Amino acid sequence: MTVTGTATGTAVVRLTTAQALVRFLSRQYTERDGVRQRLIGATWGIFGHGNVAGIGQALVEYADEMPFHQGRNEQAMVHAAVGYARQSGRLATHAVTTSIGPGATNLVTGAALATVNRLPVLLLPGDIFATRPADPVLQQLEVPYAGDVSVNDCLRPVSKYFDRVTRPEALIPAALAAMRVLTDPADTGAVTLALPQDVQAEAYDWPAEFFAERVWGVRRPAPDASELAAAVSAVRAARRPLVIAGGGVHHSAAEDALKEFADATGIPVASTQAGKGALRFDHPADVGGIGHTGTATANELARAADLVIGVGTRYSDFTTASGTLFEQPGVRFLNLNIAPFDGHKMAGTTLIADARAGLEALARELRGHRVEPAYCLAYRGDKARWEQRVDAAYQAQEPDVRPTQAQVLGALDEVVTEEDILINAAGSLPGDLHKLWRTRSARQYHVEYGYSCMGYEIPASIGVALAAPGRPVWALVGDGTYLMNPTEIVTAVQENIPVKVVILQNHGYASIGGLSESVGGERFGTDYRFRAPDGSYSQGPLPVDLAANAASLGMRVLRAKTMRDLREALREARGADRPTCVYVETETADTVSGPPPAQAWWDVPVAETATRVSAVEAREEYDRHVAARRRHL
């Protein structure tokens, strides 16, 4: 690196565009509540033409300034970055670089997941030549009607910010805009800077101040006085209020503020998948998950509520039971959210503010206000009865039997402490976890259910472990999810990141199979079917061994056949200092998992006309539920 001056006396640094970007990223910081940390903690990469000679060379050039992680699948690298960002409270994230072509398009699913969940991640896909010396180049998509389109344009609709840097000097505004979006608490997600491969390698005289350390303040906007007054009036007038804690509680580190609010007012707190853990499971006001995968306690409170106080939630269909959960004719909504887009949902009274700032302001203005003692007594009694149902689902009568899925969670519940972190995303496990898991700390429960992406868990566990070194991190995966994306096991082994992977083998797509059966699909295409040499098909199990597969990728594998084996394997895995897998076949005789069934509906349209009895009956049930749906206006 050479620093020179211009005729005007301005210091400049001559670097390639890729070198300038890496150097710039290494000097970006966030600050909230006086705590400063690095914004881009590391870069993930898989190299090919389009990034090997640009970003690849720059990462070698500045290896002492920018840590690097070698990935095996581009989508998985994004998942790892997202896991890191979520565990870091959205105050830090990772960058991901890929080649052009399939390397770039493999980013799309991960980008969608990040943006749906409002989690920041920086994507740096290679792009075709800006100067077009050869047209087309290898892996280029030719678009006859537009010469400036590449496959990277697939990333536009799933990115919160997108730019294609076709000149070196264009990187300056693009990079600054990217950092602004990554650090925006109301409007963050995937940020894409598409980098033509020739521009990456092109040298330019950069202004030296571009590389100065830059701190991006993550703001905590306080509520507007008039909105706060309206919110306070709504709470004081309510007789059966209910708080719904969403992911925004965690993103703003508002857990203590929520606890103080619940302690002072006695208002019960239900949680979405993203908000679970906002209160400890044993807090008197915590009534568990809400919605289709929620508890009976929370859902009965929702049905009777006259005021729903949504804190950092976007009211997904699972949370609202597809518009059927909040039954009271006069029910109103008060939405504390940093994003106006979410604050105006459900025709709610808005309190646009940071979750922590808003809760603290509400608590001050409501000082001395508390719900009726009978209301507290009733929901706490219901909660105690639900906990008995959890105990029943967790308990295995005999130590030498094959466990159900719920009993696997029960065995894990015996092993973990508040230090442990559980990661899941898809299948039947999110429902079981939302209903049953007893969350002990704010960052313990990590279920990605905004996009519910199969294959998220293992790479995300690596990102989480990098963000929380020393804490036991568990990736819980079913067999279907494992088959989607096991490749980052190799990364965990290569970098000796001691994640714990629990593979639950039930020989099929259990969640979607159950859904298929309930909507008249008769589990078609969801079972693992074995084709015999004579051409006939039979039910599984297929002659595959996922435990052997994990071992072949370098993991230590502990096989558990019984509850006794499982308890021992989980304890051993928790103490392991290398990547370790616990493999267990679960009992699937009568039910998938053994927990209480869904306590609220979820809308999956059923065939309006059919000849098969299963579909006809399913449509009758569907029509009964859909008649109860309402729009809150």
Side-chain angles (χ1 to χ4, degrees), residues 37 114 189 295 318 356 393 467 469 502 513 573:
Q37 60 183 293
T295 69
F318 259 60
R356 193 177 85 178
V502 180

Side-chain angles (χ1 to χ4, degrees), residues 20 23-32 35-40 91 171-181 183 206-218:
R23 197 146 193 265
F24 169 83
L25 294 177
S26 71
R27 285 160 168 74
Q28 306 304 302
Y29 295 85
T30 60
E31 184 173 278
R32 188 175 68 182
V35 179
R36 174 174 147 167
Q37 60 183 293
R38 182 165 163 158
L39 174 56
I40 307 297
L91 299 174
L171 176 66
I172 295 176
L176 293 171
M179 299 305 104
R180 171 185 59 79
V181 176
T183 57
W206 304 87
E209 63 256 38
F210 184 55
F211 306 111
E213 289 189 357
R214 192 180 301 265
V215 179
W216 300 83
V218 180

Side-chain angles (χ1 to χ4, degrees), residues 173-308:
L176 293 171
M179 299 305 104
R180 171 185 59 79
V181 176
L182 288 173
T183 57
D184 189 329
D187 199 31
T188 193
V191 169
T192 300
L193 296 181
L195 303 171
Q197 57 180 311
D198 51 345
V199 177
Q200 289 182 45
E202 187 175 345
Y204 182 74
D205 290 334
W206 304 87
E209 63 256 38
F210 184 55
F211 306 111
E213 289 189 357
R214 192 180 301 265
V215 179
W216 300 83
V218 180
R219 58 192 180 278
R220 288 193 182 278
D224 174 80
S226 61
E227 287 194 342
L228 179 59
V232 170
S233 295
V235 176
R236 288 190 181 278
R239 294 293 174 264
R240 297 180 303 280
L242 172 67
V243 169
I244 297 179
V249 175
H250 293 307
H251 297 331
S252 64
E255 297 90 355
D256 289 343
L258 178 62
K259 178 181 181 299
E260 291 170 8
F261 180 82
D263 288 340
T265 64
I267 298 175
V269 177
S271 57
T272 68
Q273 285 280 14
K276 190 173 172 75
L279 287 183
R280 272 184 60 103
F281 81 95
D282 52 2
H283 188 283
D286 179 73
V287 293
I290 193 168
H292 179 64
T293 54
T295 69
T297 308
N299 287 340
E300 287 306 311
L301 286 168
R303 293 183 178 102
D306 57 0
L307 178 68
V308 176

Side-chain angles (χ1 to χ4, degrees), residues 435-448:
K435 288 192 195 83
L436 304 177
W437 187 257
R438 292 163 168 161
T439 310
R440 294 160 169 80
S441 62
R443 298 284 174 187
Q444 179 172 90
Y445 187 88
H446 183 129
V447 172
E448 186 285 299

Side-chain angles (χ1 to χ4, degrees), residues 277-507:
L279 287 183
R280 272 184 60 103
F281 81 95
D282 52 2
H283 188 283
D286 179 73
V287 293
I290 193 168
H292 179 64
T293 54
T295 69
T297 308
N299 287 340
E300 287 306 311
L301 286 168
R303 293 183 178 102
D306 57 0
L307 178 68
V308 176
I309 307 170
V311 183
T313 178
R314 60 193 185 94
Y315 290 110
S316 75
D317 62 340
F318 259 60
T319 298
T320 67
S322 299
T324 64
L325 186 56
F326 307 105
E327 294 180 351
Q328 285 301 304
V331 63
R332 304 308 295 170
F333 295 83
L334 167 61
N335 297 330
L336 168 54
N337 206 297
I338 199 168
F341 176 79
D342 292 314
H344 286 277
K345 290 177 178 176
M346 312 294 282
T349 297
T350 58
L351 189 60
I352 305 304
D354 169 80
R356 193 177 85 178
L359 285 168
E360 290 172 345
L362 275 175
R364 284 194 303 270
E365 297 299 318
L366 288 167
R367 187 167 286 120
H369 175 77
R370 191 169 177 83
V371 297
E372 293 293 331
Y375 185 51
C376 291
L377 188 64
Y379 76 68
R380 289 175 183 177
D382 287 344
K383 173 182 176 172
R385 286 185 285 276
W386 180 262
E387 288 300 319
Q388 292 173 357
R389 298 179 75 177
V390 174
D391 289 337
Y394 276 179
Q395 187 175 4
Q397 299 297 326
E398 301 293 336
D400 295 319
V401 299
R402 177 185 293 181
T404 65
Q405 182 166 283
Q407 288 165 353
V408 173
L409 299 182
L412 189 59
D413 179 76
E414 297 172 9
V415 171
V416 302
T417 71
E418 63 182 16
E419 291 185 332
D420 295 64
I421 302 168
L422 273 66
I423 300 173
N424 185 241
S428 54
L429 272 166
D432 290 0
L433 287 162
H434 201 206
K435 288 192 195 83
L436 304 177
W437 187 257
R438 292 163 168 161
T439 310
R440 294 160 169 80
S441 62
R443 298 284 174 187
Q444 179 172 90
Y445 187 88
H446 183 129
V447 172
E448 186 285 299
Y449 215 57
Y451 209 48
S452 188
C453 184
M454 296 176 73
Y456 172 81
E457 295 89 343
I458 294 173
S461 71
I462 296 172
V464 169
L466 291 170
R471 293 185 64 174
V473 179
W474 301 84
L476 308 183
V477 298
D479 50 348
T481 294
Y482 179 85
L483 288 168
M484 285 277 183
N485 198 8
T487 55
E488 295 314 304
I489 285 176
V490 178
T491 300
V493 170
Q494 177 177 345
E495 301 203 14
N496 197 29
I497 301 170
V499 296
K500 297 93 174 57
V501 176
V502 180
I503 301 175
L504 295 90
Q505 171 66 278
N506 54 28
H507 301 289

Side-chain angles (χ1 to χ4, degrees), residues 525-578:
T526 65
D527 292 325
Y528 293 166
R529 300 172 66 83
F530 179 66
R531 186 170 185 171
D534 63 2
S536 64
Y537 284 91
S538 63
Q539 298 292 101
L542 294 175
V544 297
D545 188 339
L546 301 185
N549 178 263
S552 75
L553 296 177
M555 284 201 109
R556 181 187 180 205
V557 177
L558 306 172
R559 294 177 183 259
K561 295 183 178 180
T562 66
M563 281 297 298
R564 191 194 310 275
D565 296 340
L566 178 63
R567 291 188 177 102
E568 293 175 359
L570 291 173
R571 290 191 181 93
E572 188 171 345
R574 187 177 186 276
D577 60 359
R578 55 173 287 192

